[in-house]
Amino acid sequence: MSMASDAAAAAPAPKPGEGGSEVPVLECRNLCISYFTRAGEIPAVVDFNLKLMPGESHGIVGESGCGKSTVALAIMQYMGKNGRIVGGEILFNGRDMREMNEEELRQIRGSQIAMVYQEPMASLNPAMRVGDQLAEVPIYHDGATKEEALARARAMLESVRLPEPDRILRSYPHQISGGQQQRVVIAMALLSSPKLLLLDEPTTALDVTVEAGIVDLIREIADEYGTSMIYISHNLGLILETCDRITVMYSGEAVEVGTVNDVFDAMRHPYTQGLFASIPLPHADKNARPLVAITGQLPLPHERPPGCNFGPRCDHFLAGLCDSGEIPMLPITGDDRHYSRCVRIEEIDWQAAAGEGIVKSAAPPGDVVLKVDEMTKHYEIEEGAIFFAGEKKTVKANERLSFEAREAETVAIVGESGCGKSTFAKVLMGLEEATSGEVLLGNVELGKMPVEKRSPETIAKLQMIFQNPFDTLNPSHTVGGQIARVIKKFGVEKDEEKINQRVLELLDIVKLPRDFAKRRPRQLSGGQKQRVGIARAFAGNPSVVIADEPVSALDVSVQAAVTELLMDIQRENRTTLLFISHDLSVVRYLADRIVVMYLGQIMEQGTTEEIFSPPYHPYTEALLSAVPIADTKVKKRHIVLSGEIPSASNPPEGCPFCTRCPYVIEGTCETVPPPIRAFGPGHLIACHLSEETLKAMQPVIQIGEGPIPAEADRDAEKGEQVSPVAAAESERRSDV
Amino acid sequence: MVKLILQRLLQMALIMAVVSFVLFLVFDSPKFKKQLAVNDLGGFAVATLTQSDYQAWLAAKGLNVPFYERYGNWLVGIAHGDFGRSFQKNEDVGFLLGRALVKTGILAFWVFALMIPLALVTGVFAGISEGRVQDRAITFMSVVFTSIPEIATAIILTVIFALGLGWLPAKSKGDGLEYIILPVLTLVLYDFGYVARMTRASVAEVMTSQYIRTAVLKGIPYRRVVMKHVLRNALIAPFTVIVLQLNWLLSGVVVVEVFFQYDGFGKLLLDAALFGDLYVVQAATLAAVLVAVLSQLISDIGYTFLNPRIRFS
């Protein structure tokens, strides 16, 4: 493969002769890191141990503030002005990094240890060409000349499968897409063939289909270069796809370490168990097997409880045992280097699920509440002119969207960035006017009615929960005041006394203590703020609530609680929920029906069942394959899309997906808009492939030990994993 | 890029057209015409003038033709370098203005030549060592100097170097270099703190950015990180501020020029305004606006050029 050419020469082959007693690439022993602030010393990481052997990939997983990024930066010896290692040691190839001077560190950084960061855009110098930024690595580490360095940079860009490497070398970071930027950052990290690669949430800022490509690349690097990797993520599914071993961190401590299989299938720490119970895995179901949230909240670093940090949130907490003294990492007998920081390993029945969720009855959907008919939204943008209107360009943000939502139903709108889901929400809310088509709420036409023309009743009937709870509450008003204002505005209650009563009721509904009414947003955690957001949205008894990624900004353990709450309130009020998301796992869990969008158009819609089983739209198929699932029993067909999402201002003429579709029928898909094919009532697929071809598709996700048709394909050449029938048709038709 | 420059030039022309029109309109009122007569004939003579004599005088000066015609004549005059005549100094306004601009230009040149390197070096140094003793010392110094008004600095410097030590002349009534040392020093001390603090803030912000972390963690020498990665990004904001100082050096230095008796633009404008020397005020205002618009143009284009995110979007 192409990666080999550049890498073979420099790939760190295991040193012969050392045999059995291999030196770990990296070893952290009892590492303690603190930040020193005006408030005093804040321990960020306590007693952290890690042993990374050559060629091993080690995942570190945990929620925000658990110290996982701090570990990575400590390994790099880059902790800012107020961070310091206060205990333990970090051995790189057997040498303690804390004893190295600045020059020695410099020589190791970027050549022996390299890092890939969370936000590729922010991590590249905006005022320097990509080529110059890449060339610095060979120039300063290997003494290469500028020409040599650029040639190596170009070869590396090819190795990370970037198209047009010459153009990218000449580009500034903002001129290439997010996925390309991250490939550049990875190329930069690989340029001097590091022994250790630190990946800090490398795909969090990317779309899932782009993420799948990057994950593929990372796996390939591990296989071919033999690079040891530390992969930091909050996403258990990604760790499963990339790592051999995993450390689960909680509140500054590692709570469980082991091989991925041991930790995923035979976990021995209540927090790990709670984490798995709170993420929507394929076997979860909102009615029959609901998620189980971890109660309580993450303790602040300076308010950690004595003994076990997880104690106050743990179902197995035993006073006198769990809250006294430091709790060490204890080995689990029979497993390979599997440790857990729990003193009750032997006593807990690990086979019992972490507290069954309460089984709920499904709410039968009622009449159609919201009807979207051929709704189209175009933006006109002007190319810069000196005085008068210049060349006009049309951005087709939404193109002829048609679907319905019934009472008490959850309809998910799924798609990646640029698919037009946010524009759609804006039209619904009256922040934008539809260019054509209709949006009917009951019998009121909303498409051409901006919010200032809507009556308070109409506004109250259609409310929104926003993605980022941190920015959507007014910081200078109390929580109670903000909810009361909504109640007053919508005319739900007039009397001051009754309004206050309603505020308290709403706080009860979202399970917040009543005295929160007097608090200000900054005194609330993210999950609590989102609960206030939900209370505000439901204050006017809405019939439709649009939830725009309502939990994606929250921590995993909080997500489950907020999701469950939202669904309980919905069930209670028989509200229609439009759930906008890019996360198919969550969508699978809570949606009744799904609308899959790509570049402003609906590619497929149907019930959740229909979307997740064939026939698929080729885009749905790729999307399903791209979503990482944290379950070792799940096998997926491996489909990785090449290329990037085209710009909405310049979409392909025919099918918007034709530029990346593995089944593309040349001559047809690029020019002719796809026909909408119906597979049963309400299951619509917009695709040129024939019905038989679509029906012949194999399932993407399979659970259990059954035969896995595409498992063998994983090592086959990329891009060939489309089902054979469809490929044959694509070939046949392009010949015509 | 070319398009942007053209666009800005066109805007600039438009602004100048509007300003010149307003300027002409203001000075074209009957009251100002009377002032012109006072300048020309003397206050006593005007007071005794009959209405028909006054009309005759207006006709003689070409002031009784329709407004647009006079405006046109004025513009054509300017295009030929004819700004009218100064009654106070009995010279061509164009000549006076040119001489004053050259003198102020010399002053501005020296101020820039000293202030920019000083401000940038101290600012960058403070920025990269944010929070440390060096930073605090520099910040303290620049705040102190910026807080002292120019007139106070001027007095202190004069007292020490001219009156006390006698090394330098107290009044800048000559062409030698020694005559401009004190005014230049006054202006540099006042202005460098401002630019240095802007630079410091910008550098400190860039230092905490993620791409600087990337640069450090890819193992390139610290010097290179600062010179190549930090400066290139951190100097974009101060650049704009520096160019706008040009403006201030033209019309904001009245106090210093008057104090040191330095015959520059500021002093010319002040003298003319006090005397009621209309054509001089008119021409000087136009020149000040032109410089303001020009410096804005330079800072706009420079900013675009320095910032590739704007240049290529």
Side-chain angles (χ1 to χ4, degrees):
Chain A
M1 221 164 269
S2 59
M3 305 211 58
S5 57
D6 188 73
K15 285 185 196 114
E18 292 188 355
S21 60
E22 265 187 313
V23 183
V25 175
L26 183 83
E27 197 176 355
C28 300
R29 289 187 192 147
N30 311 325
L31 186 64
C32 297
I33 306 158
S34 289
Y35 287 105
F36 293 85
T37 64
R38 272 180 205 172
E41 179 180 346
I42 292 172
V45 173
V46 181
D47 187 27
F48 182 84
N49 287 282
L50 185 139
K51 196 185 231 176
L52 187 72
M53 302 309 287
E56 217 171 37
S57 299
H58 194 112
I60 299 179
V61 76
E63 300 174 84
S64 59
C66 74
K68 52 191 194 301
S69 296
T70 307
V71 169
L73 291 172
I75 293 169
M76 279 294 204
Q77 300 284 308
Y78 188 85
M79 282 166 296
K81 281 190 283 277
N82 53 3
R84 207 185 319 146
I85 297 176
V86 291
E89 48 199 12
I90 300 175
L91 303 176
F92 177 69
N93 275 341
R95 271 197 69 198
D96 193 347
M97 291 189 69
R98 291 178 310 147
E99 281 157 19
M100 296 181 189
N101 61 33
E102 269 303 313
E103 180 57 20
E104 283 175 293
L105 279 175
R106 181 186 77 70
Q107 283 172 3
I108 284 181
R109 288 172 180 160
S111 81
Q112 308 265 334
I113 310 177
M115 191 158 173
V116 175
Y117 314 87
Q118 177 166 359
E119 287 172 60
M121 177 69 181
S123 305
L124 291 170
N125 187 336
M128 216 168 150
R129 289 179 199 276
V130 167
D132 293 336
Q133 299 193 46
L134 287 169
E136 280 184 332
V137 177
I139 289 173
Y140 285 95
H141 286 301
D142 306 329
T145 63
K146 184 83 190 264
E147 286 69 36
E148 281 167 27
L150 280 172
R152 277 176 60 182
R154 189 188 182 285
M156 189 51 79
L157 288 182
E158 273 182 344
S159 305
V160 296
R161 282 188 260 113
L162 274 170
E164 301 175 74
D166 289 311
R167 181 182 66 84
I168 290 181
L169 283 178
R170 283 193 312 271
S171 302
Y172 285 96
H174 72 277
Q175 294 172 304
I176 58 180
S177 73
Q180 291 175 334
Q181 286 165 358
Q182 194 60 300
R183 281 173 196 267
V184 166
V185 174
I186 292 174
M188 192 188 290
L190 292 177
L191 261 171
S192 58
S193 337
K195 292 203 169 54
L196 172 60
L197 188 59
L198 304 174
L199 301 135
D200 187 0
E201 306 256 10
T203 58
T204 307
L206 306 175
D207 274 318
V208 290
T209 57
V210 179
E211 170 180 88
I214 300 276
V215 167
D216 233 31
L217 176 69
I218 290 169
R219 229 169 10 211
E220 227 166 77
I221 293 163
D223 287 351
E224 292 181 27
Y225 288 53
T227 313
S228 308
M229 293 198 295
I230 291 182
Y231 194 110
I232 294 168
S233 179
H234 66 283
N235 187 329
L236 284 161
L238 279 175
I239 300 282
L240 175 63
E241 292 195 351
T242 48
C243 296
D244 309 316
R245 293 174 59 78
I246 176 176
T247 296
V248 181
M249 289 189 76
Y250 179 77
S251 190
E253 287 178 337
V255 292
E256 188 164 358
V257 184
T259 63
V260 165
N261 278 330
D262 281 343
V263 173
F264 275 58
D265 296 337
M267 57 207 78
R268 287 293 178 270
H269 194 281
Y271 173 66
T272 318
Q273 202 177 31
L275 211 52
F276 276 96
S278 61
I279 55 176
L281 294 172
H283 59 73
D285 180 280
K286 68 170 164 176
N287 297 314
R289 301 186 64 176
L291 301 182
V292 187
I294 303 176
T295 49
Q297 284 174 46
L298 227 99
L300 293 171
H302 51 275
E303 290 171 356
R304 290 185 184 130
C308 178
N309 284 348
F310 188 60
R313 302 176 73 185
C314 182
D315 293 335
H316 307 287
F317 180 78
L318 202 64
L321 179 67
C322 297
D323 55 2
S324 62
E326 289 297 303
I327 294 170
M329 288 295 267
L330 299 167
I332 283 116
T333 40
D335 287 353
D336 169 33
R337 288 185 290 147
H338 185 181
Y339 299 88
S340 165
R341 199 182 286 275
C342 178
V343 284
R344 303 195 63 205
I345 298 172
E346 304 297 332
E347 296 149 46
I348 296 171
D349 175 10
W350 296 101
Q351 299 312 314
E356 284 291 332
I358 304 139
V359 176
K360 293 150 189 168
S361 57
D367 294 335
V368 173
V369 177
L370 183 77
K371 187 169 158 50
V372 182
D373 190 19
E374 301 264 303
M375 200 284 280
T376 298
K377 173 69 193 170
H378 289 178
Y379 291 99
E380 302 245 302
I381 49 168
E382 267 171 38
E383 295 287 282
I386 296 184
F387 269 116
F388 303 101
E391 201 185 324
K392 270 191 188 155
K393 262 190 168 178
T394 308
V395 176
K396 296 177 176 174
N398 284 160
E399 189 73 13
R400 303 176 65 181
L401 307 184
S402 295
F403 69 92
E404 294 172 352
R406 294 167 178 279
E407 188 187 74
E409 193 179 39
T410 304
V411 177
I413 300 172
V414 177
E416 300 176 272
S417 54
C419 78
K421 50 192 201 290
S422 304
T423 305
F424 173 69
K426 279 185 191 162
V427 173
L428 234 52
M429 295 302 295
L431 300 172
E432 298 280 357
E433 274 182 64
T435 311
S436 69
E438 280 191 323
V439 178
L440 287 170
L441 177 68
N443 48 14
V444 185
E445 212 288 308
L446 294 180
K448 297 245 193 253
M449 196 193 277
V451 68
E452 54 269 23
K453 287 193 194 146
R454 296 184 184 182
S455 67
E457 295 81 58
T458 310
I459 296 175
K461 267 170 89 177
L462 184 68
Q463 275 299 300
M464 185 152 178
I465 301 167
F466 299 93
Q467 177 170 13
N468 194 338
F470 304 92
D471 298 339
T472 41
L473 296 177
N474 187 332
S476 53
H477 289 204
T478 62
V479 166
Q482 299 192 46
I483 301 175
R485 187 180 150 77
V486 178
I487 298 171
K488 234 180 289 180
K489 275 265 169 193
F490 292 164
V492 180
E493 299 287 352
K494 296 271 185 302
D495 182 51
E496 201 67 30
E497 191 71 11
K498 281 193 177 150
I499 290 175
N500 287 336
Q501 193 53 40
R502 178 83 185 133
V503 169
L504 297 180
E505 277 170 32
L506 281 165
L507 286 176
D508 290 346
I509 290 173
V510 296
K511 302 200 176 91
L512 286 177
R514 287 190 163 200
D515 64 305
F516 270 45
K518 294 186 206 73
R519 295 207 188 175
R520 286 176 206 282
R522 68 182 135 78
Q523 295 164 292
L524 272 56
S525 72
Q528 289 166 342
K529 280 183 198 166
Q530 197 57 302
R531 282 166 196 264
V532 174
I534 293 173
R536 189 170 62 171
F538 279 92
N541 303 317
S543 55
V544 177
V545 168
I546 307 165
D548 185 3
E549 308 253 11
V551 295
S552 65
L554 305 177
D555 270 318
V556 182
S557 68
V558 183
Q559 278 185 8
V562 174
T563 308
E564 288 301 316
L565 172 81
L566 184 58
M567 286 193 305
D568 285 345
I569 301 174
Q570 181 203 7
R571 202 177 272 121
E572 193 85 352
N573 298 300
R574 291 189 61 77
T575 316
T576 304
L577 189 64
L578 284 188
F579 192 87
I580 298 177
S581 179
H582 68 281
D583 185 347
L584 274 173
S585 310
V586 178
V587 164
R588 173 183 201 150
Y589 173 70
L590 56 73
D592 301 310
R593 288 201 305 117
I594 298 176
V595 176
V596 180
M597 285 181 70
Y598 186 80
L599 218 61
Q601 300 188 25
I602 295 178
M603 298 278 93
E604 181 173 359
Q605 59 175 306
T607 63
T608 306
E609 185 75 5
E610 285 164 346
I611 296 290
F612 277 82
S613 47
Y616 300 117
H617 187 281
Y619 175 61
T620 316
E621 188 190 31
L623 206 55
L624 290 176
S625 172
V627 177
I629 298 171
D631 190 333
T632 52
K633 290 186 284 300
V634 168
K635 302 294 174 203
K636 288 190 303 186
R637 215 141 47 76
H638 190 69
I639 302 151
V640 174
L641 296 179
S642 55
E644 308 283 334
I645 302 171
S647 152
S649 65
N650 190 19
E653 218 172 288
C655 174
F657 188 54
C658 72
T659 55
R660 299 170 78 199
C661 183
Y663 303 100
V664 66
I665 304 165
E666 274 164 45
T668 307
C669 293
E670 297 94 330
T671 47
V672 186
I676 296 172
R677 302 182 191 280
F679 296 84
H683 185 202
L684 306 174
I685 297 178
C687 188
H688 281 295
L689 293 177
S690 70
E691 279 183 34
E692 302 78 64
T693 317
L694 290 169
K695 275 182 180 159
M697 282 185 164
Q698 299 293 314
V700 175
I701 300 171
Q702 294 216 325
I703 306 167
E705 320 300 322
I708 311 121
E711 174 61 2
D713 286 1
R714 196 177 251 208
D715 300 320
E717 277 178 65
K718 301 283 175 269
E720 295 293 320
Q721 288 86 353
V722 298
S723 40
V725 189
E729 149 137 352
S730 159
E731 211 161 278
R732 198 188 73 233
R733 297 200 29 185
S734 58
D735 285 344
V736 178
Chain B
M1 195 70 191
V2 177
K3 195 169 163 188
L4 178 106
I5 295 174
L6 280 176
Q7 204 173 341
R8 286 283 185 277
L9 278 173
L10 218 73
Q11 279 176 359
M12 187 182 139
L14 198 71
I15 293 173
M16 287 312 296
V18 171
V19 167
S20 69
F21 182 78
V22 170
L23 204 57
F24 190 79
L25 196 68
V26 167
F27 288 115
D28 198 55
S29 66
K31 193 172 161 245
F32 278 108
K33 281 182 190 164
K34 200 101 181 186
Q35 177 65 37
L36 278 178
V38 173
N39 284 344
D40 191 27
L41 309 168
F44 187 69
V46 172
T48 57
L49 222 55
T50 62
Q51 192 59 31
S52 58
D53 285 345
Y54 182 56
Q55 288 303 329
W57 179 82
L58 285 178
K61 291 286 169 190
L63 289 172
N64 58 346
V65 294
F67 172 76
Y68 59 87
E69 214 172 294
R70 286 199 306 281
Y71 180 55
N73 291 340
W74 184 60
L75 286 184
V76 169
I78 289 173
H80 289 97
D82 175 17
F83 290 88
R85 217 171 157 75
S86 162
F87 297 103
Q88 182 190 14
K89 301 196 168 115
N90 201 22
E91 298 250 33
D92 267 341
V93 175
F95 167 77
L96 283 174
L97 191 65
R99 200 178 58 185
L101 280 174
V102 166
K103 290 216 78 168
T104 296
I106 293 169
L107 193 66
F109 170 80
W110 285 110
V111 171
F112 263 52
L114 289 174
M115 187 267 290
I116 292 173
L118 184 69
L120 289 187
V121 168
T122 50
V124 168
F125 191 62
I128 60 172
S129 50
E130 191 197 356
R132 284 191 236 139
V133 185
Q134 305 93 304
D135 171 37
R136 278 161 209 245
I138 291 169
T139 305
F140 177 77
M141 237 169 55
S142 41
V143 170
V144 168
F145 283 124
T146 309
S147 319
I148 302 174
E150 299 121 296
I151 184 73
T153 320
I155 291 171
I156 294 167
L157 288 178
T158 308
V159 167
I160 296 174
F161 293 105
L163 309 180
L165 298 167
W167 293 350
L168 296 164
K171 298 290 167 218
S172 303
K173 281 284 180 199
D175 284 332
L177 209 55
E178 69 271 24
Y179 291 104
I180 61 166
I181 291 180
L182 283 182
V184 165
L185 212 56
T186 308
L187 290 171
V188 166
L189 281 181
Y190 178 71
D191 205 32
F192 109 92
Y194 177 62
V195 178
R197 276 167 57 75
M198 283 294 294
T199 311
R200 177 200 169 273
S202 179
V203 169
E205 193 198 317
V206 168
M207 283 299 283
T208 61
S209 70
Q210 295 188 28
Y211 56 85
I212 295 305
R213 183 179 70 185
T214 310
V216 172
L217 294 188
K218 73 178 159 184
I220 54 178
Y222 188 68
R223 242 189 109 73
R224 163 106 183 160
V225 174
V226 173
M227 300 304 284
K228 190 78 190 176
H229 291 265
V230 177
L231 290 192
R232 183 65 175 71
N233 287 288
L235 293 187
I236 297 175
F239 170 79
T240 319
V241 174
I242 289 171
V243 176
L244 293 182
Q245 299 307 304
L246 220 85
N247 236 337
W248 168 76
L249 277 176
L250 187 72
S251 43
V253 294
V254 180
V255 174
V256 172
E257 284 190 357
V258 171
F259 181 87
F260 288 106
Q261 295 287 302
Y262 186 81
D263 283 322
F265 180 84
K267 189 161 173 291
L268 177 75
L269 186 57
L270 183 75
D271 286 350
L274 292 177
F275 187 80
D277 204 352
L278 284 188
Y279 289 126
V280 177
V281 174
Q282 212 170 24
T285 311
L286 205 59
V289 173
L290 183 71
V291 169
V293 175
L294 262 178
S295 62
Q296 196 68 57
L297 179 78
I298 296 170
S299 88
D300 262 10
I301 292 172
Y303 186 79
T304 314
F305 188 75
L306 284 173
N307 195 339
R309 269 172 292 189
I310 295 180
R311 197 181 348 155
F312 298 104
S313 58

